[in-house]
């Protein structure tokens, strides 16, 4: 057995057998083995040995902070292991030390391609814990902006996947459309990127006529722009051939491995929490759950493409049905009062003081609320002990769960297929690493 | 609790008897606390249940309750695609003996969740053959999500590169 082989085996050995802390200096041993390596080995026929290649963490196609350790036989992938931890910011620990309101801003930074959606997911979990509900107008606005966030996130997935396999134009076109959505955020929310739009029991502010008009104007031109992009890719032989048949996964495997969202629907499982566990106002809206049966990279791409069209349908319905009324639930001890009332009335001043200083005090208990984010099932599990901050907040982030399927999807493919497969999973490292 | 879940919990009680130690419901979330030794059978039972199969393991994660007895909890979420139902399982373990049998044999997708739980709480999962650190360095000694780990971290616990290169 050559030294190369020893290194390779060492790298794949699990450092922890069954219990206890991993032994110290595992990597150092590895490095030592590499340094001690007989220099004559470099004259060996490289094709006789498996090669270990570290792709990322700073490779542009690995989303910045994902590292994939590959074991290659020539150009064929024998195995590939995704490694996380280069971005870990400890959000779950931070959540335990902040009030429920304070954590809203952190949810923006989880899946930074669709901040509003994360805001909504988190706030629904908190509202479920508190046992309150935002009024219908707030729910409609939330749905509308969440769907815009889905479009914006899919646009990035769509464009980046195309760029990863070599089509640069589409990325620029997608970002042009995404900019328009950010302009809408700017108008409606006041921030382009980190929105922090929701509040417990309502929203930061109401939507104006101007905001609604901007959304309508966007919807009027978007399907046509999407068609242009679609035409560019769907009739592109290179894109088609690189995506078809790569990263195959059957419906049973996809479920067993914990795939959710467009990735799961690409394998033909019609699981969509918007319809299966309805939240917000999805019960009142008419939309289709998109599925494809092939289970390859191309199928996942088609699902995302069609979902954007469904989102356009949903936002249109929300604008039509948007009810009038308040956007804040009438729960004085749980919902932050309006500032103008805080300045002029004693009761509101006291409530504001109590909520800001001690937080909303939910009952003791555990709740789990999941939403269908653009990447899959985004869930928040809150363990409460009746204090102003969560005792434990677990974020079930879809990208984390989707990434662990990567070794299964990559096996037997060529190096260049990694990009198409990774692009088709559409991970965001912000929530995979949390 | 709706009818489907009621039936399911009843059949679990029939099947496992004293293995089911508690059933709670809060805001429509049903949590079944099971003893550690039956967790693999219980998850297999849920996956293969004819009336309401749960083919999707959504999440596995730890909670540090910080009590003297049964300090740690491991929670499991399962979703039934056919019946649109969700059920939560929970296992309680003591600090001195913080290990729960791995369910990777039943749900291969639980592997990373268990790794994350191990990384953050130090709970081990015998049977998981890839139980490495998830986010923290391999040689890291502490478990950051335990309640006795300070929010600002432990100074010097992660060696930083020396100034001017190694």
């Amino acid at each position: 057995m050559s030294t190369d082989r020893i290194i390779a085996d060492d790298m794949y050995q699990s450092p922890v057998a069954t219990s206890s802390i991993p032994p110290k200096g595992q990597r150092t041993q590895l490095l030592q083995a590499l340094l001690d390596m007989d220099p004559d080995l470099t004259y060996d026929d490289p094709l006789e040995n498996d090669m270990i290649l570290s792709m990322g963490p700073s490779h542009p196609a690995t989303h910045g902070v994902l590292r994939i350790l590959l074991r290659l036989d020539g150009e064929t992938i024998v195995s590939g292991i995704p490694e996380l931890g280069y971005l870990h910011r400890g959000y779950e620990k931070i959540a335990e030390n902040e009030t429920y309101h304070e954590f809203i801003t952190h949810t923006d930074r989880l899946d930074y391609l669709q901040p509003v959606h994360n805001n909504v997911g988190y706030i629904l979990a908190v509202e479920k814990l508190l046992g309150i509900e935002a009024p219908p107008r707030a729910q409609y606005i939330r749905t509308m902006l969440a769907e815009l966030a889905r479009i914006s996130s899919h646009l990035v997935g769509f464009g980046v996947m195309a760029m990863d396999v070599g089509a640069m134009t589409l990325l620029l076109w997608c970002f042009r459309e995404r900019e328009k959505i950010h302009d809408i955020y700017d108008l409606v929310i006041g921030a382009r990127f980190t929105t922090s739009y929701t509040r417990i029991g309502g929203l930061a502010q109401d939507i104006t006529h101007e905001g609604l008009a901007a959304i309508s104007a966007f919807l009027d031109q978007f399907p046509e722009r999407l068609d242009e992009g679609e035409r560019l890719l769907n009739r592109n032989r290179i894109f088609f051939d690189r995506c078809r048949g790569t990263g195959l996964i059957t419906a049973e495997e996809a479920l067993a491995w914990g795939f959710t969202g467009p990735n799961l629907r690409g394998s033909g499982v019609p699981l969509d929490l918007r319809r299966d566990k309805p939240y917000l106002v999805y019960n009142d809206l008419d939309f289709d759950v998109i599925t494809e049966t092939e289970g390859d990279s191309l199928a996942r791409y088609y699902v995302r493409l069609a979902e954007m069209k469904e989102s356009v349908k949903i936002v249109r319905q929300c604008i039509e049905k948007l009810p009038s009324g308040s956007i804040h639930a009438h729960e004085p001890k749980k919902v932050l009062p309006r500032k103008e009332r805080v300045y002029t009335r004693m009761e509101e001043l006291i409530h504001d003081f109590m909520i800001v200083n001690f937080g909303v005090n939910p009952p003791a208990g555990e709740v789990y609320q999941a939403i269908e984010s653009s990447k899959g099932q985004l869930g928040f599990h809150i363990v409460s002990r009746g204090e102003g901050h969560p005792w434990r907040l677990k974020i079930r982030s879809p990208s984390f769960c989707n990434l662990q399927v990567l070794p299964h999807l990559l096996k037997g493919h060529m190096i260049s297929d990694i990009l198409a497969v990774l692009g088709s999973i559409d991970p965001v490292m912000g929530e995979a690493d949390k | 609790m709706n009818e489907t879940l009621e039936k399911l919990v009843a059949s679990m009680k029939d099947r496992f008897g004293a293995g089911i130690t508690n059933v709670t419901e809060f805001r429509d979330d049903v949590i079944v606390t099971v003893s550690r030794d039956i967790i693999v059978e219980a998850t297999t039972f849920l996956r293969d249940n004819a009336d309401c199969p749960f083919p999707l393991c959504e999440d596995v994660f730890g909670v540090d309750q910080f009590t003297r007895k049964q300090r740690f909890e491991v929670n499991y979420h399962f979703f039934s695609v056919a019946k649109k139902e969700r059920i939560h399982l929970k296992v309680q373990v003591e600090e001195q003996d913080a290990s729960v049998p791995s369910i990777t044999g039943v749900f291969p997708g639980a592997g990373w969740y268990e790794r994350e739980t191990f990384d953050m709480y130090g709970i081990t999962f015998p049977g998981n053959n890839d139980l490495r650190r998830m986010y923290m360095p391999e040689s890291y000694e502490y478990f950051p999500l335990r309640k006795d780990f300070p929010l600002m971290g432990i100074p010097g616990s992660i060696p930083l590169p020396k100034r001017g290169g190694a």
Side-chain angles (χ1 to χ4, degrees):
Chain A
M1 190 187 271
S2 73
T3 321
D4 278 8
R5 184 74 69 172
I6 294 170
I7 293 169
D9 285 348
D10 193 26
M11 204 170 258
Y12 282 92
Q13 217 172 39
S14 160
V16 179
T18 47
S19 62
S20 86
I21 305 160
K24 264 189 159 183
Q26 190 82 24
R27 287 219 173 112
T28 327
Q29 279 175 18
L30 185 69
L31 189 67
Q32 197 56 47
L34 196 68
L35 294 175
D36 293 345
M37 200 169 67
D38 187 354
D40 290 344
L41 270 179
T42 37
Y43 302 109
D44 271 4
D45 182 2
L47 294 178
E48 275 183 10
N49 302 307
D50 281 357
M51 187 169 109
I52 302 297
L53 185 72
S54 190
M55 185 176 172
S58 53
H59 190 287
T62 56
H63 301 248
V65 281
L66 172 68
R67 177 187 179 207
I68 309 172
L69 202 59
L70 298 163
R71 184 175 188 167
L72 303 169
D73 174 15
E75 269 207 66
T76 311
I77 301 162
V78 179
S79 51
I81 298 182
E83 276 271 303
L84 307 179
Y86 296 92
L87 186 68
H88 190 223
R89 296 159 292 174
Y91 270 147
E92 290 175 0
K93 186 81 175 175
I94 292 173
E96 292 172 7
N97 292 277
E98 288 198 336
T99 63
Y100 288 99
H101 265 121
E102 281 173 320
F103 195 69
I104 297 172
T105 50
H106 290 291
T107 57
D108 292 339
R109 284 132 180 105
L110 286 169
D111 181 352
Y112 38 73
L113 298 179
Q114 47 165 359
V116 179
H117 222 145
N118 296 292
N119 296 159
V120 171
Y122 169 69
I123 222 69
L124 284 176
V126 176
E127 284 173 2
K128 184 175 176 184
L129 177 67
L130 289 166
I132 63 171
E133 240 182 45
R137 184 175 171 86
Q139 303 281 28
Y140 269 94
I141 298 173
R142 284 175 181 184
T143 314
M144 198 153 59
L145 289 173
E147 287 305 319
L148 282 178
R150 186 188 310 279
I151 295 177
S152 140
S153 164
H154 278 345
L155 277 173
V156 176
F158 186 48
V160 167
M161 182 180 175
M163 188 192 66
D164 284 349
V165 294
M168 186 73 189
T169 314
L170 195 76
L171 180 81
L172 298 175
W173 288 9
C174 285
F175 267 77
R176 180 193 62 204
E177 293 310 303
R178 199 174 127 81
E179 273 304 299
K180 293 174 189 166
I181 296 180
H182 282 193
D183 286 343
I184 291 170
Y185 284 170
D186 197 7
L187 196 64
V188 175
I189 300 165
R192 295 172 65 82
F193 197 61
T194 46
T195 50
S196 311
Y197 186 46
T198 52
R199 296 289 182 273
I200 295 171
L203 297 165
Q205 66 238 0
D206 203 349
I207 195 165
T208 55
H209 288 296
E210 202 187 354
L212 285 174
I215 296 174
S216 296
F218 171 77
L219 295 182
D220 288 340
Q221 54 88 46
F222 178 67
E224 203 179 316
R225 299 284 95 80
L226 195 61
D227 279 348
E228 281 174 11
E230 197 182 340
R231 278 203 300 275
L232 191 71
L233 274 198
N234 286 5
R235 298 176 67 179
N236 184 327
R237 191 61 196 261
I238 301 172
F239 176 79
F240 201 77
D241 283 352
R242 287 191 70 177
C243 294
R244 192 175 48 179
T246 56
L248 270 172
I249 188 161
T250 64
E252 289 77 31
E253 285 170 340
L255 275 172
W257 279 101
F259 249 179
T260 45
N263 297 334
L264 181 65
R265 292 194 284 275
S267 292
V269 184
L271 172 62
D272 190 325
L273 293 181
R274 288 178 291 175
R275 192 195 54 189
D276 296 340
K277 280 270 176 196
Y279 54 95
L280 294 175
V281 289
Y282 286 111
N283 255 346
D284 303 338
L285 304 173
D286 172 40
F287 64 97
D288 296 327
V289 173
I290 311 291
T291 50
E292 290 280 336
T293 47
E294 283 76 18
D296 56 0
S297 301
L298 198 63
R300 294 191 276 273
Y301 152 81
Y302 281 144
V303 169
R304 287 205 180 83
L305 197 63
E307 270 187 12
M308 282 194 264
K309 294 171 189 167
E310 290 303 310
S311 291
V312 170
K313 249 165 77 180
I314 294 175
V315 180
R316 270 196 210 287
Q317 290 174 51
C318 285
I319 295 178
E320 277 165 24
K321 293 184 174 181
L322 184 68
S324 56
S326 168
I327 54 156
H328 296 99
H330 184 67
E331 294 280 347
K333 287 193 187 308
K334 296 178 176 102
V335 180
L336 271 174
R338 302 287 82 209
K339 269 286 173 281
E340 62 272 14
R341 293 177 81 88
V342 175
Y343 294 144
T344 51
R345 290 163 199 240
M346 197 60 207
E347 280 292 301
E348 268 85 352
L349 178 66
I350 295 169
H351 288 143
D352 187 72
F353 178 83
M354 295 303 279
I355 292 176
V356 169
N357 284 283
F358 304 104
V360 283
N361 288 32
E366 292 187 30
V367 292
Y368 179 70
Q369 171 70 43
I371 62 161
E372 187 70 35
S373 105
S374 71
K375 310 283 190 296
Q377 189 188 123
L378 172 72
F380 292 87
H381 185 107
I382 304 176
V383 181
S384 159
R385 286 199 170 181
E387 294 157 330
H389 51 85
W391 179 259
R392 169 85 165 103
L393 178 84
K394 167 68 179 134
I395 304 160
R396 194 267 183 211
S397 49
S399 295
F400 175 80
C401 311
N402 291 344
L403 267 178
Q404 73 169 327
V405 196
L406 207 55
H408 181 86
L409 298 179
L410 288 181
K411 211 168 187 177
H413 285 316
M414 311 291 275
I415 297 181
S416 56
D417 293 330
I418 298 173
L419 305 177
V421 174
L422 192 63
S424 75
I425 299 179
D426 190 21
V428 157
M429 297 316 291
E431 66 173 13
D433 248 356
K434 286 184 289 226
Chain B
M1 211 185 301
N2 62 30
E3 206 179 309
T4 323
L5 284 182
E6 237 167 42
K7 243 173 89 182
L8 182 82
V9 171
S11 61
M12 279 182 85
K13 278 180 177 163
D14 279 350
R15 173 89 160 66
F16 299 109
I20 309 280
T21 52
N22 195 13
V23 180
T24 58
E25 192 188 359
F26 180 70
R27 309 255 192 253
D28 299 332
D29 286 343
V30 178
I31 304 179
V32 181
T33 311
V34 302
S35 68
R36 171 169 67 177
D37 33 307
I38 64 150
I39 183 67
V40 177
E41 289 91 70
T43 46
T44 316
F45 175 79
L46 285 179
R47 185 192 64 183
D48 302 334
N49 190 6
D51 294 334
C52 181
F54 290 84
L56 179 66
C57 173
E58 293 174 329
D59 208 352
V60 178
F61 61 93
V63 179
D64 182 358
Q65 290 291 1
F66 212 50
T67 51
R68 195 167 293 169
K69 285 199 92 183
Q70 312 280 352
R71 176 172 173 181
F72 296 115
E73 283 175 357
V74 181
N75 287 21
Y76 300 79
H77 292 179
F78 298 99
F79 191 78
S80 168
V81 181
K83 292 285 169 94
K84 328 289 183 208
E85 294 292 348
R86 182 176 282 131
I87 195 157
H88 309 258
L89 293 193
K90 181 186 281 191
V91 173
Q92 293 173 321
V93 288
E94 288 172 26
E95 187 181 356
Q96 278 72 30
D97 184 22
S99 80
V100 180
S102 169
I103 61 160
T104 44
V106 191
F107 293 97
W112 270 29
Y113 310 141
E114 289 180 351
R115 264 181 76 187
E116 192 189 15
T117 311
F118 164 72
D119 190 16
M120 292 291 127
Y121 289 96
I123 302 167
T124 55
F125 294 88
N128 184 334
N129 53 17
D130 191 27
L131 202 63
R132 290 177 291 129
R133 283 280 186 171
M134 187 93 231
Y135 302 128
M136 308 309 289
E138 282 171 38
S139 58
Y140 199 67
E141 291 173 43
Y142 308 98
F143 301 107
L145 271 179
R146 286 189 177 188
K147 285 285 175 185
D148 46 9
F149 185 89
L151 177 66
M152 298 301 285
I154 293 173
S157 59
I158 297 182
L160 296 172
K162 290 197 175 65
R163 202 176 275 269

